[in-house]
């Protein structure tokens, strides 16, 4: 009978494994990482699209603003967690870059491409259902297509696995 040590998750939801034993990454881990990413992206994306639309900015400027804000909010959410864990601000920013850049990039590429693909969505006003349904659909699509990316990254010890190591 093989007497392998038992691995029990701790309160914070991860388990410690013997050295050299790879972490099995499930879809639930990837979905949680993507929800975290989606939160920052959605805050920045919505804020950027709302500001750009309200100010009457052209499509390129509006998308540029929403992407910049999505990265800023995404990084800020990760930094908040690792700063609480005791990292200094410079190290926390480096962790956020390592943890979130690919995920945010993929999410923003999908989200903005989807918004541009919906006829009239970028020209719709804030009071127009087309704007909000297109935005909701584009964020949903971005989430769905980014989960497998995050699963791959976490399984390789990258992406949100980098930030998780500091919690």
């Amino acid at each position: 009978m093989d007497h392998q040590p038992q691995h029990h998750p701790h309160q914070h939801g991860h388990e410690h494994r013997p050295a050299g034993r790879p972490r099995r990454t499930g879809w639930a881990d990837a979905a949680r990482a993507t929800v975290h990413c989606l939160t920052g992206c959605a805050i920045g994306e919505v804020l950027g699209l709302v500001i750009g639309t309200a100010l009457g900015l052209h499509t390129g400027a509006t998308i540029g603003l929403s992407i910049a804000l999505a990265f800023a909010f995404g990084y800020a959410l990760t930094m908040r967690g690792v700063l609480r864990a005791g990292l200094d601000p410079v190290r926390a920013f480096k962790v956020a870059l390592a943890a979130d850049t690919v995920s945010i990039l993929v999410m923003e590429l999908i989200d903005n491409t989807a918004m541009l693909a919906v006829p009239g969505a970028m020209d719709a006003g804030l009071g127009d259902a087309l704007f909000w349904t297109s935005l909701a659909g584009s964020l949903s699509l971005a989430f769905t297509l980014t989960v497998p990316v995050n699963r791959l990254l976490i399984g390789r010890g990258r992406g949100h696995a980098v930030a998780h190591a500091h919690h």
Side-chain angles (χ1 to χ4, degrees):
M1 177 180 257
D2 188 12
H3 286 81
Q4 293 292 325
Q6 295 293 318
H7 302 286
H8 300 286
H10 295 279
Q11 285 180 336
H12 48 282
H14 74 274
E15 59 182 67
H16 294 272
R17 291 162 312 284
R21 189 173 186 183
R23 182 179 196 280
R24 286 184 30 211
T25 304
W27 290 105
D29 290 335
R32 278 190 294 277
T34 308
V35 165
H36 172 87
C37 180
L38 178 66
T39 302
C41 285
I43 292 168
E45 187 78 21
V46 170
L47 187 59
L49 289 174
V50 167
I51 291 169
T53 301
L55 295 178
L57 300 178
H58 64 82
T59 299
T62 299
I63 288 177
L65 177 61
S66 69
I67 291 171
L69 290 173
F71 273 95
F73 280 96
Y75 291 150
L77 288 176
T78 296
M79 285 182 64
R80 181 185 67 175
V82 295
L83 285 168
R84 278 193 217 143
L87 267 67
D88 64 87
V90 172
R91 180 73 179 127
F93 182 67
K94 288 178 181 179
V95 168
L97 286 175
D100 294 333
T101 300
V102 172
S103 184
I104 294 172
L105 187 62
V106 169
M107 192 164 283
E108 285 302 300
L109 178 66
I110 295 165
D111 174 43
N112 285 293
T113 300
M115 279 296 288
L116 289 169
V118 175
M122 291 300 296
D123 296 321
L126 297 177
D128 193 337
L130 177 61
F131 175 83
W132 294 105
T133 57
S134 299
L135 182 57
S138 70
L139 289 170
S140 297
L141 180 63
F143 173 82
T144 302
L145 297 178
T146 304
V147 170
V149 172
N150 281 328
R151 184 173 189 233
L152 179 67
L153 290 170
I154 294 168
R156 293 184 174 177
R158 302 192 187 287
H160 280 264
V162 174
H164 186 73
H166 296 283
H167 290 289

